[in-house]
Amino acid sequence: MPGTVTMYSTTWCGYCRRLKSQMDREGIAYNEINIEHDPESAAFVEKANGGNQTVPTVLVVPTSGAESVMSNPSLAQVKQALGV
C-alpha cells in the first residue's frame, strides 16, 4: 500500500463501519483508533474538526506526498489521497 491510513472512529458510528467495510473490500490496510478510549486521539479529531468529535476522521499519509486529514470521507477520497 502506498502510504498509511489511520481511521479515528467509535463503536457506534455507522459511517465508520461502512468505510471500514469498503476499505476491507478494496484491500486498503488501515489502523483504527477508537476515540472513546484514547483521549489524545479524541483531541486530534476535535482539532481537525473545529472542536467537534466527527467520525470517521481519516488521516492519510501517502509515501509520495503531504498528509491529508478528512472528515467522513468517501472510499474514492481515501483512494485519491493515497494516490491509487
Side-chain angles (χ1 to χ4, degrees):
M1 183 56 54
T4 61
V5 177
T6 303
M7 178 190 290
Y8 298 90
S9 66
T10 61
T11 55
W12 49 264
C13 174
Y15 296 112
C16 299
R17 285 191 298 272
R18 182 191 70 211
L19 184 58
K20 287 189 295 186
S21 173
Q22 292 171 338
M23 289 193 298
D24 289 342
R25 184 182 67 239
E26 293 289 320
I28 298 172
Y30 57 92
N31 298 313
E32 182 179 9
I33 299 174
N34 186 329
I35 65 169
E36 294 176 310
H37 301 135
D38 187 343
E40 287 182 25
S41 294
F44 171 80
V45 168
E46 288 176 7
K47 184 177 178 184
N49 293 290
N52 298 310
Q53 288 189 355
T54 305
V55 289
T57 294
V58 178
L59 170 64
V60 177
V61 182
T63 56
S64 61
E67 68 183 32
S68 300
V69 179
M70 300 173 281
S71 299
N72 195 16
S74 67
L75 176 64
Q77 289 171 309
V78 173
K79 290 172 78 172
Q80 181 179 9
L82 283 169
V84 294

